[in-house]
Structures are given as C-alpha cells and as structure tokens.
C-alpha cells in the first residue's frame, strides 16, 4: 500500500509529466487559456491516462510478452489510447455538448498527448496495481498543473505585459517558473 | 517467416478490432439517447431576450437554435457588438465582419389621447407588457417592455412611439 | 460654532425617562455623523432591549488629513462627555468608553471628566476607526459580520453625533451644523451648504476624506456625514507598479490589485460581485497606494457596472419567462379552439 502511495505521489508531483519530464505541452498550452476548459480537460486526461495505462499494461503483460512481441508496444498502445480517447469524446459529447464545443479539437487530440503514451510506455513492465497508481498519479499531476496554470493565465490576461512578451512567450516563461517551483518536490524522497 | 509476420498482424488486428467494436457499440447507445440542448441554452443566455425577431427568427430561443446550427452570430440587433463577441467567443468561431451599431435602450409608449383600444398591440407584444381591454385605453408596463418595436407597426393609428426610458 | 436658537425646550435629561430622550433624538432627526448616516434613535431602540449594554464613543481619527473629531474633542470635550452620559442614561448602563488616538487629548479629557467614562488611547492604525475593529480593541468582543453591533447591545457613536445629541437634548438646539475639516482647517458649517460656496474652486476636491470621499461636483452640498472636504491626491496618479500594498492593506483580504486590473480592463465578466459587495469602502487601499491611485473609485465604478449588468440579466430572464408563458398560452388557446371546432362539427354531423 505504501509503495502504491509513493508511486502515486512520485508520478503526480516529483516527476510530474508536464513540468519535470516536459511531456504533453501541446494540450497543456492549448487548453489552459480559460478555467472553464482547463478543469474538464484535466479530468478527461485523468480518465484517458488511467484507463489506457491499465489496458495497455494488461495487454503488454498478457499478450505481447508471452508472444514475444514487445517490438509492437508503441503501435499497440497508440491503438489503445486512440480507442479510449474516442470513448471519452463520445461520453463528453453525450453528457455536455457545450463542453464538447468548448474543448473543440483538443479533446480528440488527447490521442497525440505524448504524456499519455509516455506513462503507458514507462509503466509497461510494472505489475498492474503499480501501473494503476502511476497512471492515476500522472493524470492527477497533469490536471493539477493544468488548473494551476490556467489560474495564472487568467491573471496574465489582465496584466500589462510588454508587447514582445504578449501571448505565448509570457506563458512559456510562466511555465518555466512553475517548473522551477516543482523542482522543489524532489526533496520529498 | 510466415508465422513471424502473421502473429503480430493478428495480435494488432484483433486488438484494434475489439477496441473499435467497443467504440461503435457505445456510439450506438449514445445515438439512441436524445442529446441535451445545453449548448442552445448557453447561447440563449447570452442573447438579450427582447424577443424582437429582428434577427429573422421568432424570438431569442429559435435564433439560439439557428446559431448552434451554423447561422451567423451577427444578427442580434439589440445585443449589438457585445453579444456578437460573446457568441463568437463561446462558439469559438471567427467574427463576422459586420460591425453592429451601439444598441439603444428604448421602451414603447402609447400616446393615450390617440389610442382607440383596438387591441392589436396586445397580440403583438412578445412579453405581455401591454395591458388593456378591447375598446379601452391600453398602456405599456415600462418595467416589462423590452423595446422590441413589434407593437409599433400593427397599431392602426400609429399611436405607439419608442422613447428613452424614464 | 455659530449661534443657534433653541428649537425645543431644554431638557433636564437626568430626570427624564429614556423613552422621552429617544423621542427627542428622533424629533431632531439625528443620524450617525461618522459616515454611514444610520438614524441614531433606531440604534438606541435596538440596543435598549438587549442584556448587556455598552456605549462606545468613537473619537479616533484615521484619515490622514482629517482632524475634525480631534478638534471637536479639544474644544467641546465637556459636551461630548455629557452626550455619552445621556446615551448611558438612556441605555441604563455604566460601561462607557471613549476612544481617542492622542495621549494629550485623553489626559485633558480625563481632567474634565468626573464620571465613570473610560477614556482609552488606542494605537493609531487605519482600521481602528471601523466600529467592529474598535469594539474588538476595547472590549475584545467579536461582532459577527452578518449582524450590527447595536443588536448585541453595543452602541458605537461618533463624537460628532454625541455632541449633536448633547446639544439637542440639553439645550434644545437642532443639529444644523457640523464641524468639517476644510482643506486642513476645522470649521463649522451648516449642513446643506453647497460645497462650492465653502471651497470656491472645486476642481481636484473630494467631499469626505481624500481616501473615502467622492469627487466633488457643483451640485454637491454638505451632508451630515461629511467630516471633511479635502484635496484629491489622485488627480496626478501614476501607473500601478504591482506592489500589492493595496491587497495587503485590505482589512477584508480582498484581491484589490486584481479588482483594479479588472476594473480598468474591458473584460468585467470575471469580477465577482461577491468581492465588490464585500468591500465596505474603508479606503485603506487608497491610503496604502504609493502611486496615489484612487482604488476605491475604481471599485465603486465596477460595482455600479456589475449591478447594472445584474439588473439587465434579471430583466432578460423575466422577458424570457413572459415570452414563454405567452407562447404557451397562445398554443393552448389554439388547441382549445381546434377542439371546440371539432366537437361542434361532430354535433352538426349528429343532427344531420
């Protein structure tokens, strides 16, 4: 149990996939403009990462490894992720068409979120329970930094930024500063 | 050699097929349920609710419905540029080039000495802001009037005018 | 003080019933002169029914450029002390406080006071003038935010109000004048005097203190709650340097800096009306701002903008409701007409 918790915290904070491993920056920058999109996007990503990690881990352990087909990992995992994203997309469109409209292209683009594939690949050889802990942790970590950053960007919209830094540059600088702050979590373990 | 090729292809193909089957099955379930219309409601909430029909639709809700189905966002006259921009922001659409005029806040007023009590304006008012009985003087509840102008043209003696709210 | 002829017969209040004294205060239409303008007789009537009753005289001057209350205490301290005794008599209590912010003034007042009024010197800080803060400092009682001190038996009155009470009860004089700090000098002026006849040039002038007052215009007159006419320091304000001192100074912990950002940008939608309504216009942020930005003006402006937006939304919601009701009524009527026509046709068929 302690192991799982350590894995969870490690994936969420210490080696956060966005800020420490620098994966999945595209949806991170794209959907953090507004709080209304950041929160649902974060939750959607939690679902996708958790489900796809577990499914691909099981697939790896029970199909690919016994058949000695580990070279098929990347392409199989991508198929899994694409299917899970489609499921989530269907669900969002069904539950809230407004949210579907707000998220737009970024929802199907979770497929190409490299954090999702990154998590699935990095835990492919772990036992299922550990993979689940890392998957949930990575999702929660992504959601956390996305919401934090969206909160900062809402404030950035109101502040007087020098012209050369307006838009993406100041946002990237802010990401860098949050990443520095997250480096502090390395002291936990 | 053949086996080395067929096993990976089979494994990948089966995985893909099974997952696709799940998605398609879910699609079928979702399609059989009626989708909620909260997007239309969200658009409707941004409209000024004057029910003036100046957009060409009989009220704000029908126009909201049309906007969601691709109608231009720049048709709402009483909402003006503010509503136009709010709609484009909500729907993430490019702005139409038409710049809308600053909307005027007006209310209708019946010139009481000229009203003949015909009651045609009662039917025209979309928000029941006109009260009166046939053959009696009508009057407009100014606090409920949205200034939609729909009562102006039906009046046979042209006794309704739009004025600045007092 | 200009001479005033008594309007009422002078009253020997020590031998008069509390109700009669309150009636006199009501007839004289005395209101709180500290800023809120709450009718004093209502405050007294609320407090008279409670268990523990405390009178607090607020002589603390917090705005940097206002000295009216201090001057009043220095010159008419005896009258103010008698005003406290009158209120204590009305409330039938002996626990009375007078809070001042100068030691010398307190000593002078102690010399002329032979009563049981506790004269305490409070540490000068901007917030101490606010009644809840003052109550906490003097009696260590905390008044919940959703109720008034008077309903807990604590009557906080400005010294100018107490002076007015004393004059109207003891001497029968109506409170038609008040002491005002006019650009640094304390003068008596009649309430209702046009501001531009007190200060000829009203450009760059605020009615009230420089922190909480509003920009004077030619139609303004002196009201009972105006304790100062001061110079507007914000006319040559500089750009915001984002130091955050306004947010630090705010006693309600409001994000003043952000509220200012949102007030000057066009996107007002994210300003929460909750924050704007929580602000009690104390002006601490204005005093704290090193760039002399009048933050309170901006907060007041966005508050009125937000309120008008809320009114517009409410009107839109009502219009939609009425439109839907009308549409349903028309639909129902059409269906009823059709049904009637149908039954009539059937009846005609039967006859045939």
């Amino acid at each position: 149990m302690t192991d799982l918790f350590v894995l969870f915290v490690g994936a969420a904070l210490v080696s956060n996939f966005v800020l420490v491993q620098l994966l999945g920056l595209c949806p991170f920058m794209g959907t953090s403009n507004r709080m209304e999109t950041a929160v649902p996007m974060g939750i959607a990503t939690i679902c996708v990462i958790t489900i796809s990690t577990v499914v691909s881990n099981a697939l790896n352990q029970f199909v690919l490894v016994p058949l000695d087909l580990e070279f098929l990992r990347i392409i199989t995992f991508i198929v899994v992720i694409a299917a899970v994203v489609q499921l989530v997309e269907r669900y969002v469109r069904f539950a809230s068409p407004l949210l579907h409209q707000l998220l737009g292209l970024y929802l199907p683009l979770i497929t190409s979120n490299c954090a999702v594939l990154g998590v699935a690949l990095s835990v492919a050889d772990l036992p299922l329970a550990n993979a689940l802990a890392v998957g949930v942790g990575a999702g929660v970590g992504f959601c956390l930094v996305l919401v934090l950053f969206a909160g900062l960007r809402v404030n950035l919209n109101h502040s007087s930024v020098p012209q050369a830094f307006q838009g993406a540059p100041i946002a990237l600088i802010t990401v860098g500063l949050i990443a520095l702050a997250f480096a502090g979590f390395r002291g936990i373990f | 050699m053949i086996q080395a090729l067929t096993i990976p292809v089979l494994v990948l193909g089966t995985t893909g097929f099974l997952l696709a089957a799940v998605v398609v099955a879910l699609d079928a379930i979702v399609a059989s349920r009626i989708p909620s219309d909260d997007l239309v409601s969200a658009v409707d909430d941004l409209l000024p609710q004057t029910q003036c029909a100046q957009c060409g639709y009989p009220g704000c809700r029908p126009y909201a419905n049309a906007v969601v189905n691709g109608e231009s966002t720049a048709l709402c006259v009483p909402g003006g540029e503010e509503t136009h921009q709010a709609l484009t922001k909500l729907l993430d659409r490019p702005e139409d080039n038409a710049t809308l005029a600053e909307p005027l806040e007006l209310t209708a007023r019946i010139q009481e000495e000229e009203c003949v009590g015909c009651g045609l304006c009662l039917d025209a008012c979309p928000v029941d802001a006109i009260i009166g009985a046939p053959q009696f003087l009508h009057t407009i509840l100014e606090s409920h009037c949205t200034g939609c102008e729909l009562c102006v043209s039906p009046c046979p003696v042209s006794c309704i005018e739009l004025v600045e709210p007092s | 003080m200009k001479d005033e002829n008594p309007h009422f017969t002078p009253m020997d209040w020590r031998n008069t019933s509390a109700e009669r004294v309150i009636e006199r205060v009501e007839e004289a239409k005395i209101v709180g002169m500290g800023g809120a303008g709450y009718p004093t007789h209502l405050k007294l009537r609320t407090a008279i029914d409670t268990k523990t009753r405390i009178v607090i005289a607020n002589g603390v001057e917090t705005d940097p450029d206002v000295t009216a209350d201090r001057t009043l205490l220095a010159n008419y301290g005896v009258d103010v002390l008698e005003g406290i005794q009158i209120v204590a008599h009305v409330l039938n209590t002996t626990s009375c406080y007078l809070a001042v912010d100068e030691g010398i003034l307190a000593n002078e007042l102690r010399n002329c006071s032979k009563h049981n009024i506790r004269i305490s010197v409070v540490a000068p800080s901007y917030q101490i003038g606010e009644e809840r803060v003052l109550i906490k400092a003097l009696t260590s009682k905390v008044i919940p935010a959703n109720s008034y001190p008077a309903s807990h038996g604590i009557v906080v009155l400005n010294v100018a109000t107490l002076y007015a009470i004393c004059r109207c009860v003891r001497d029968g004089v109506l409170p038609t004048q008040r002491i005002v700090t006019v650009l640094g000098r304390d003068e008596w002026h009649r309430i209702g005097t046009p501001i531009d006849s007190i200060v000829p040039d009203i450009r760059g002038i605020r009615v009230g203190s420089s922190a909480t007052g509003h920009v004077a215009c030619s139609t303004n007159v002196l009201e009972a709650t105006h304790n100062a006419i001061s110079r507007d320091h914000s006319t040559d304000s500089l750009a915001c340097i984002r130091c955050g001192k306004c947010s630090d100074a705010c006693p309600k912990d409001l994000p003043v800096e952000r509220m200012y950002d949102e007030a000057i940008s066009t996107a007002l939608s994210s300003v929460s009306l909750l924050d704007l309504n929580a602000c009690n216009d104390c002006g601490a942020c204005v005093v704290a701002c090193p760039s002399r930005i009048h933050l309170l003006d901006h907060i007041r402006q966005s508050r009125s903008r937000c309120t008008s937006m809320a009114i517009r939304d409410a009107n839109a919601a009502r219009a939609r409701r009425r439109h839907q009701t009308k549409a349903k009524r028309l639909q129902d009527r059409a269906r009823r007409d059709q049904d009637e026509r149908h039954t009539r046709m059937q009846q005609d068929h039967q006859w045939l």
Side-chain angles (χ1 to χ4, degrees), chain C residues 183-248:
Chain C
L183 305 178
R185 281 197 324 277
D186 293 314
E187 300 165 359
W188 285 90
H189 283 288
R190 282 177 207 280
I191 292 163
T193 317
I195 298 297
D196 52 6
S197 72
I198 302 175
V199 183
D201 184 10
I202 58 165
R203 278 171 303 175
I205 294 294
R206 276 181 189 269
V207 186
S209 76
S210 61
T212 57
H214 57 86
V215 176
C217 70
S218 58
T219 52
N220 286 147
V221 296
L222 188 74
E223 290 171 18
T225 55
H226 291 154
N227 61 352
I229 295 169
S230 24
R231 195 142 321 275
D232 187 358
H233 301 305
S234 64
T235 44
D236 55 345
S237 63
L238 305 171
C240 172
I241 55 169
R242 319 198 65 76
C243 63
K245 281 189 179 163
C246 45
S247 308
D248 291 344

Side-chain angles (χ1 to χ4, degrees), chain C residues 57-62 69-70 99-101 122-125 128-129 134 158:
Chain C
N58 188 351
V60 186
E61 205 72 84
T62 51
D69 289 352
R70 229 172 270 155
V100 292
D101 51 6
V122 294
S125 76
I128 199 76
L134 188 63
N158 184 270

Side-chain angles (χ1 to χ4, degrees), chain C residues 13-18 21 84-93:
Chain C
W13 53 268
R14 283 188 178 82
N15 301 317
T16 313
S17 73
V21 176
I84 300 174
Q85 285 173 296
I86 293 172
V87 177
H89 167 72
V90 168
L91 297 179
N92 193 17
T93 178

